Amino acid sequence: MQKQAAQRLTEADRIAVEYTNGRLPYVYSLNYNSVAEGLETRLNGYSFELVDEATVRNLVESDKTLLPYKVVDDKKAERWHTARVNAEVTQGIIQGESIPEIAKRLKTNVGMTAKGSAVRNARTSVTSAENKGRIDMLHDARKKGVIADKIWIAAHDSRTREAHLDLDGQQVPEDEKFESILGKIEYPGDPDAAPANTYNCRCSLGYKVVGFANRETGREKRFGLYAKRRDEK
């Protein structure tokens, strides 16, 4: 029973991850295009090529770093689910519960834990895809001579980790990383950052145009405050 329950829960994990991964190209393209359209609205004479979901799906096949796809580790997942089933059945026996009561305990506690894990994985992946789309557009804009800073925007509620509240409103050049007590991170959901810095994150990335660069000479012209800050560095 333990083995069958663990296998079913692992299969549920796999289905949830596959569904989430399938939605990421849409999320990525939506956010990439949103930043592009925002820049075009603010900057006369600049235009950016938009991407569609199908294009992103095709690109993912050749560039595995484009999107933060998640993969279920079957062995690890089964061990974790087996331990959960074991724990709940043992607790039921110790407390003298009937078979229907133990079944209810499994349905409530193990089922809710599995659901919560799936939701957290989905949230982490979507946050990463959203902000990867935004940062990639800022990188592409830089190639066209638009210099932009990125801004960390934290979710303001009791579930937001202290490190991300400390980052809220911080502004750094698009080619630099944010840094908190949890380490360096390029954008909310950055899969290359420490897990404690990304897992279940709901923060987002904003931006501010701070200058322009000549694509032929490479010379930069930054607005007063930002030029001074760059010189000081």
Side-chain angles (χ1 to χ4, degrees), residues 59-195:
L59 287 174
V60 168
E61 293 301 316
S62 58
D63 182 2
K64 300 300 182 182
T65 66
L66 184 64
L67 279 175
Y69 280 164
K70 279 192 172 291
V71 177
V72 173
D73 183 329
D74 289 356
K75 291 183 178 179
K76 183 177 179 180
E78 274 195 36
R79 286 197 301 269
W80 188 82
H81 288 308
T82 299
R84 290 292 302 160
V85 171
N86 259 327
E88 294 302 332
V89 171
T90 301
Q91 283 296 316
I93 292 172
I94 290 173
Q95 296 181 38
E97 295 176 354
S98 65
I99 297 299
E101 287 173 332
I102 293 176
K104 183 178 180 181
R105 168 189 286 274
L106 283 170
K107 181 179 180 181
T108 301
N109 297 334
V110 177
M112 288 304 294
T113 301
K115 180 181 178 182
S117 177
V119 169
R120 287 190 293 273
N121 278 324
R123 182 180 293 129
T124 303
S125 295
V126 170
T127 294
S128 186
E130 285 175 348
N131 295 299
K132 183 66 161 57
R134 295 174 188 177
I135 195 68
D136 281 355
M137 181 63 247
L138 293 180
H139 291 334
D140 289 346
R142 182 69 177 80
K143 295 174 185 176
K144 288 198 172 188
V146 179
I147 304 172
D149 279 1
K150 54 190 179 187
I151 303 170
W152 190 284
I153 303 172
H156 289 270
D157 58 37
S158 59
R159 293 187 293 157
T160 303
R161 69 204 77 189
E162 183 179 349
H164 289 183
L165 287 174
D166 289 342
L167 286 175
D168 187 40
Q170 287 193 26
Q171 184 171 326
V172 301
E174 51 85 21
D175 59 347
E176 294 184 10
K177 293 186 176 182
F178 297 98
E179 188 166 2
S180 73
I181 56 175
L182 294 176
K184 294 183 178 181
I185 182 169
E186 187 177 4
Y187 55 86
D190 176 9
D192 292 330

Side-chain angles (χ1 to χ4, degrees), residues 23 26 28 34 38 50 53 64 68 76-77 101 111 116 127 145 158:
R23 295 292 293 165
Y26 168 75
Y28 176 96
S34 175
L50 304 183
E53 182 179 351
K64 300 300 182 182
K76 183 177 179 180
E101 287 173 332
T127 294
S158 59

